[in-house]
Amino acid sequence: MKATTILLAMLSISFSALAQSPTPPELPAEMQPQLQPPLQPPVQAEPQTPTQPESQFREPAGSLAIHAQPQSQNGFTYVCGGVGLDESTSMKRMAKKYDLMSTFSTRNGSYLADINVNISSGDGKATLQTTCDGPILLVKFPHAGTYRIRAAVGDDTQTKTAQIPGLRSMQSMVFVWRAS
């Protein structure tokens, strides 16, 4: 009992000392705690409807953006682009969903754009004619077979042949011109 009385007396003295102590000095402004504004919920973007065919080839949110969009002509589905690191990386990733990836460059390694491309089937019926505005062209062919790919920079034309199997297996074709 004596120990309990002593303990209560000590606590009483401690509390009275705290109650009588002066308030702590004001801290300088740079040392005062900064209050953060309350967090706001994230703003939800409006859902967008796809405007191009084959919208499933768009990159998922949060990944590299691609500006080139798939287009169709005479049964061919194709994408031209690859300008800039983000877009070229994204197109190379998409290439596995296509039959052919063509790259256009000069011998010194510079990429080319504005390439006139003509793809025709062996029977001459299926054709794709476009001007590729970037160094990479991805193509899905309408059916298996042999195709002739012509690529022209100005008056300098190159022709190559591609054998497209019935299965989706991506081929790579590189067109290289002398630097001008």
Short mmCIF file of all heavy atoms in Angstrom, two decimals, residues 73-77 98-100 119-128 139-149 162-169 171:
data_model
loop_
_atom_site.label_atom_id
_atom_site.label_comp_id
_atom_site.label_asym_id
_atom_site.label_seq_id
_atom_site.Cartn_x
_atom_site.Cartn_y
_atom_site.Cartn_z
N GLN A 73 -7.07 -2.28 -97.49
CA GLN A 73 -7.21 -2.00 -98.92
C GLN A 73 -7.15 -3.33 -99.67
O GLN A 73 -6.19 -4.08 -99.53
CB GLN A 73 -6.07 -1.08 -99.38
CG GLN A 73 -6.14 -0.64 -100.82
CD GLN A 73 -4.95 0.21 -101.21
OE1 GLN A 73 -4.14 -0.22 -102.02
NE2 GLN A 73 -4.81 1.38 -100.62
N ASN A 74 -8.18 -3.65 -100.43
CA ASN A 74 -8.25 -4.86 -101.26
C ASN A 74 -7.92 -6.14 -100.48
O ASN A 74 -7.24 -7.02 -100.99
CB ASN A 74 -7.33 -4.74 -102.47
CG ASN A 74 -7.75 -3.63 -103.41
OD1 ASN A 74 -8.93 -3.31 -103.51
ND2 ASN A 74 -6.79 -3.01 -104.07
N GLY A 75 -8.36 -6.23 -99.25
CA GLY A 75 -8.12 -7.42 -98.45
C GLY A 75 -6.84 -7.39 -97.64
O GLY A 75 -6.62 -8.24 -96.79
N PHE A 76 -5.97 -6.44 -97.89
CA PHE A 76 -4.73 -6.27 -97.12
C PHE A 76 -5.05 -5.41 -95.90
O PHE A 76 -5.82 -4.46 -95.98
CB PHE A 76 -3.66 -5.53 -97.94
CG PHE A 76 -3.12 -6.29 -99.10
CD1 PHE A 76 -3.71 -6.18 -100.35
CD2 PHE A 76 -2.00 -7.08 -98.96
CE1 PHE A 76 -3.20 -6.85 -101.44
CE2 PHE A 76 -1.48 -7.76 -100.04
CZ PHE A 76 -2.08 -7.65 -101.28
N THR A 77 -4.44 -5.72 -94.79
CA THR A 77 -4.46 -4.83 -93.62
C THR A 77 -3.01 -4.43 -93.40
O THR A 77 -2.12 -5.29 -93.38
CB THR A 77 -5.02 -5.55 -92.38
OG1 THR A 77 -6.35 -5.97 -92.66
CG2 THR A 77 -5.02 -4.64 -91.17
N TYR A 98 1.27 -9.74 -87.76
CA TYR A 98 1.24 -9.50 -89.21
C TYR A 98 2.07 -10.55 -89.93
O TYR A 98 2.88 -11.24 -89.32
CB TYR A 98 1.75 -8.09 -89.52
CG TYR A 98 0.76 -7.02 -89.12
CD1 TYR A 98 0.69 -6.56 -87.81
CD2 TYR A 98 -0.11 -6.47 -90.05
CE1 TYR A 98 -0.24 -5.61 -87.43
CE2 TYR A 98 -1.04 -5.51 -89.69
CZ TYR A 98 -1.10 -5.08 -88.38
OH TYR A 98 -2.01 -4.14 -88.01
N ASP A 99 1.88 -10.63 -91.25
CA ASP A 99 2.63 -11.59 -92.07
C ASP A 99 4.00 -11.07 -92.48
O ASP A 99 4.94 -11.84 -92.65
CB ASP A 99 1.84 -11.92 -93.35
CG ASP A 99 0.51 -12.56 -93.06
OD1 ASP A 99 0.47 -13.50 -92.26
OD2 ASP A 99 -0.51 -12.11 -93.63
N LEU A 100 4.12 -9.75 -92.66
CA LEU A 100 5.35 -9.18 -93.19
C LEU A 100 5.67 -7.87 -92.49
O LEU A 100 4.78 -7.04 -92.26
CB LEU A 100 5.20 -8.90 -94.70
CG LEU A 100 6.38 -8.23 -95.39
CD1 LEU A 100 7.57 -9.18 -95.51
CD2 LEU A 100 5.96 -7.74 -96.77
N ILE A 119 2.15 -3.75 -103.63
CA ILE A 119 2.21 -5.19 -103.41
C ILE A 119 1.15 -5.83 -104.29
O ILE A 119 -0.02 -5.43 -104.26
CB ILE A 119 1.94 -5.54 -101.92
CG1 ILE A 119 2.99 -4.87 -101.03
CG2 ILE A 119 1.93 -7.04 -101.73
CD1 ILE A 119 2.77 -5.08 -99.55
N SER A 120 1.59 -6.79 -105.10
CA SER A 120 0.64 -7.48 -105.97
C SER A 120 0.81 -8.99 -105.82
O SER A 120 1.90 -9.48 -105.55
CB SER A 120 0.82 -7.05 -107.42
OG SER A 120 2.14 -7.30 -107.85
N SER A 121 -0.29 -9.72 -106.01
CA SER A 121 -0.24 -11.17 -105.93
C SER A 121 0.31 -11.73 -107.24
O SER A 121 0.42 -11.01 -108.24
CB SER A 121 -1.63 -11.74 -105.65
OG SER A 121 -2.52 -11.39 -106.69
N GLY A 122 0.65 -13.00 -107.23
CA GLY A 122 1.19 -13.65 -108.43
C GLY A 122 0.26 -13.55 -109.63
O GLY A 122 0.71 -13.39 -110.76
N ASP A 123 -1.05 -13.59 -109.39
CA ASP A 123 -2.00 -13.47 -110.49
C ASP A 123 -2.33 -12.02 -110.84
O ASP A 123 -3.10 -11.75 -111.74
CB ASP A 123 -3.29 -14.25 -110.18
CG ASP A 123 -3.99 -13.76 -108.93
OD1 ASP A 123 -3.59 -12.71 -108.36
OD2 ASP A 123 -4.96 -14.42 -108.50
N GLY A 124 -1.75 -11.08 -110.09
CA GLY A 124 -1.93 -9.66 -110.38
C GLY A 124 -3.24 -9.08 -109.90
O GLY A 124 -3.53 -7.92 -110.14
N LYS A 125 -4.06 -9.86 -109.21
CA LYS A 125 -5.38 -9.37 -108.79
C LYS A 125 -5.35 -8.58 -107.49
O LYS A 125 -5.93 -7.51 -107.42
CB LYS A 125 -6.35 -10.54 -108.65
CG LYS A 125 -6.72 -11.16 -109.97
CD LYS A 125 -7.74 -12.24 -109.80
CE LYS A 125 -8.05 -12.85 -111.16
NZ LYS A 125 -8.96 -13.98 -111.05
N ALA A 126 -4.72 -9.10 -106.46
CA ALA A 126 -4.71 -8.42 -105.17
C ALA A 126 -3.58 -7.41 -105.14
O ALA A 126 -2.43 -7.76 -105.32
CB ALA A 126 -4.55 -9.44 -104.04
N THR A 127 -3.94 -6.15 -104.95
CA THR A 127 -2.89 -5.13 -104.89
C THR A 127 -3.10 -4.20 -103.71
O THR A 127 -4.22 -3.94 -103.28
CB THR A 127 -2.85 -4.27 -106.18
OG1 THR A 127 -4.10 -3.63 -106.34
CG2 THR A 127 -2.50 -5.11 -107.39
N LEU A 128 -1.99 -3.75 -103.21
CA LEU A 128 -1.97 -2.72 -102.17
C LEU A 128 -1.04 -1.64 -102.69
O LEU A 128 0.09 -1.91 -103.08
CB LEU A 128 -1.42 -3.28 -100.85
CG LEU A 128 -1.01 -2.26 -99.79
CD1 LEU A 128 -2.22 -1.49 -99.28
CD2 LEU A 128 -0.29 -2.95 -98.65
N VAL A 139 2.25 -5.74 -92.82
CA VAL A 139 1.19 -6.15 -93.74
C VAL A 139 0.63 -7.51 -93.36
O VAL A 139 1.38 -8.44 -93.09
CB VAL A 139 1.71 -6.23 -95.21
CG1 VAL A 139 0.59 -6.61 -96.16
CG2 VAL A 139 2.38 -4.94 -95.63
N LYS A 140 -0.71 -7.60 -93.37
CA LYS A 140 -1.43 -8.86 -93.28
C LYS A 140 -1.99 -9.11 -94.67
O LYS A 140 -2.71 -8.26 -95.22
CB LYS A 140 -2.60 -8.73 -92.31
CG LYS A 140 -2.50 -9.56 -91.09
CD LYS A 140 -3.79 -9.50 -90.32
CE LYS A 140 -3.50 -9.22 -88.89
NZ LYS A 140 -4.68 -9.18 -88.06
N PHE A 141 -1.65 -10.24 -95.26
CA PHE A 141 -2.07 -10.54 -96.62
C PHE A 141 -3.45 -11.19 -96.63
O PHE A 141 -3.81 -11.90 -95.68
CB PHE A 141 -1.03 -11.44 -97.30
CG PHE A 141 0.26 -10.72 -97.57
CD1 PHE A 141 1.21 -10.54 -96.57
CD2 PHE A 141 0.52 -10.20 -98.82
CE1 PHE A 141 2.39 -9.87 -96.81
CE2 PHE A 141 1.70 -9.51 -99.08
CZ PHE A 141 2.64 -9.35 -98.07
N PRO A 142 -4.22 -11.01 -97.72
CA PRO A 142 -5.57 -11.56 -97.76
C PRO A 142 -5.60 -13.09 -97.80
O PRO A 142 -6.55 -13.71 -97.33
CB PRO A 142 -6.19 -10.96 -99.01
CG PRO A 142 -5.06 -10.46 -99.82
CD PRO A 142 -3.92 -10.20 -98.89
N HIS A 143 -4.56 -13.69 -98.38
CA HIS A 143 -4.49 -15.16 -98.45
C HIS A 143 -3.05 -15.58 -98.70
O HIS A 143 -2.19 -14.76 -99.03
CB HIS A 143 -5.42 -15.72 -99.54
CG HIS A 143 -5.25 -15.05 -100.88
ND1 HIS A 143 -4.24 -15.34 -101.75
CD2 HIS A 143 -6.00 -14.08 -101.47
CE1 HIS A 143 -4.34 -14.58 -102.82
NE2 HIS A 143 -5.39 -13.82 -102.69
N ALA A 144 -2.79 -16.87 -98.51
CA ALA A 144 -1.44 -17.40 -98.73
C ALA A 144 -1.09 -17.30 -100.21
O ALA A 144 -1.96 -17.26 -101.07
CB ALA A 144 -1.38 -18.85 -98.27
N GLY A 145 0.20 -17.24 -100.49
CA GLY A 145 0.64 -17.18 -101.89
C GLY A 145 1.94 -16.43 -102.04
O GLY A 145 2.59 -16.06 -101.07
N THR A 146 2.30 -16.19 -103.31
CA THR A 146 3.51 -15.46 -103.65
C THR A 146 3.11 -14.03 -103.99
O THR A 146 2.19 -13.81 -104.78
CB THR A 146 4.22 -16.11 -104.85
OG1 THR A 146 4.51 -17.47 -104.50
CG2 THR A 146 5.50 -15.39 -105.19
N TYR A 147 3.83 -13.08 -103.42
CA TYR A 147 3.53 -11.66 -103.65
C TYR A 147 4.80 -10.93 -104.06
O TYR A 147 5.90 -11.26 -103.63
CB TYR A 147 2.98 -11.01 -102.38
CG TYR A 147 1.60 -11.51 -102.01
CD1 TYR A 147 1.44 -12.66 -101.25
CD2 TYR A 147 0.47 -10.83 -102.43
CE1 TYR A 147 0.18 -13.13 -100.92
CE2 TYR A 147 -0.80 -11.28 -102.11
CZ TYR A 147 -0.93 -12.43 -101.35
OH TYR A 147 -2.19 -12.89 -101.03
N ARG A 148 4.60 -9.93 -104.91
CA ARG A 148 5.71 -9.08 -105.35
C ARG A 148 5.58 -7.75 -104.62
O ARG A 148 4.53 -7.10 -104.67
CB ARG A 148 5.65 -8.87 -106.86
CG ARG A 148 6.88 -8.13 -107.39
CD ARG A 148 6.79 -7.89 -108.86
NE ARG A 148 5.82 -6.81 -109.02
CZ ARG A 148 5.30 -6.46 -110.16
NH1 ARG A 148 5.59 -7.08 -111.26
NH2 ARG A 148 4.44 -5.46 -110.23
N ILE A 149 6.65 -7.35 -103.93
CA ILE A 149 6.66 -6.10 -103.18
C ILE A 149 7.61 -5.14 -103.88
O ILE A 149 8.80 -5.42 -104.01
CB ILE A 149 7.10 -6.30 -101.71
CG1 ILE A 149 6.07 -7.15 -100.96
CG2 ILE A 149 7.22 -4.98 -100.98
CD1 ILE A 149 6.36 -8.57 -100.92
N ALA A 162 7.86 -12.21 -101.77
CA ALA A 162 7.58 -12.80 -100.45
C ALA A 162 6.66 -14.01 -100.66
O ALA A 162 5.70 -13.94 -101.40
CB ALA A 162 6.90 -11.79 -99.55
N GLN A 163 6.99 -15.09 -99.99
CA GLN A 163 6.16 -16.30 -99.99
C GLN A 163 5.39 -16.29 -98.67
O GLN A 163 5.98 -16.43 -97.61
CB GLN A 163 7.07 -17.53 -100.10
CG GLN A 163 6.38 -18.81 -100.47
CD GLN A 163 5.80 -18.77 -101.87
OE1 GLN A 163 4.70 -18.30 -102.04
NE2 GLN A 163 6.53 -19.26 -102.84
N ILE A 164 4.08 -16.10 -98.75
CA ILE A 164 3.26 -16.00 -97.55
C ILE A 164 2.57 -17.34 -97.31
O ILE A 164 1.73 -17.75 -98.12
CB ILE A 164 2.21 -14.86 -97.68
CG1 ILE A 164 2.90 -13.53 -97.99
CG2 ILE A 164 1.36 -14.77 -96.44
CD1 ILE A 164 3.92 -13.08 -96.97
N PRO A 165 2.90 -18.03 -96.22
CA PRO A 165 2.24 -19.31 -95.92
C PRO A 165 0.83 -19.07 -95.38
O PRO A 165 0.47 -17.94 -95.04
CB PRO A 165 3.15 -19.93 -94.86
CG PRO A 165 3.79 -18.77 -94.19
CD PRO A 165 3.92 -17.69 -95.24
N GLY A 166 0.05 -20.11 -95.27
CA GLY A 166 -1.31 -19.98 -94.75
C GLY A 166 -1.34 -19.68 -93.26
O GLY A 166 -2.31 -19.15 -92.76
N LEU A 167 -0.28 -19.98 -92.55
CA LEU A 167 -0.22 -19.72 -91.11
C LEU A 167 0.32 -18.33 -90.86
O LEU A 167 1.03 -17.76 -91.68
CB LEU A 167 0.73 -20.73 -90.44
CG LEU A 167 0.44 -22.20 -90.70
CD1 LEU A 167 1.59 -23.05 -90.18
CD2 LEU A 167 -0.87 -22.60 -90.05
N ARG A 168 -0.01 -17.77 -89.71
CA ARG A 168 0.56 -16.47 -89.33
C ARG A 168 1.99 -16.69 -88.87
O ARG A 168 2.24 -17.18 -87.79
CB ARG A 168 -0.24 -15.83 -88.20
CG ARG A 168 -1.56 -15.31 -88.60
CD ARG A 168 -1.43 -13.86 -89.08
NE ARG A 168 -2.74 -13.40 -89.52
CZ ARG A 168 -3.03 -13.17 -90.79
NH1 ARG A 168 -2.14 -13.33 -91.73
NH2 ARG A 168 -4.23 -12.75 -91.11
N SER A 169 2.92 -16.37 -89.75
CA SER A 169 4.33 -16.43 -89.38
C SER A 169 4.99 -15.19 -89.99
O SER A 169 5.03 -15.03 -91.19
CB SER A 169 5.00 -17.71 -89.88
OG SER A 169 4.94 -17.77 -91.28
N GLN A 171 7.37 -12.56 -91.47
CA GLN A 171 8.63 -12.48 -92.21
C GLN A 171 9.14 -11.06 -92.13
O GLN A 171 8.37 -10.12 -91.99
CB GLN A 171 8.39 -12.81 -93.68
CG GLN A 171 7.93 -14.21 -93.95
CD GLN A 171 7.75 -14.42 -95.45
OE1 GLN A 171 8.57 -13.99 -96.25
NE2 GLN A 171 6.65 -15.06 -95.82
#
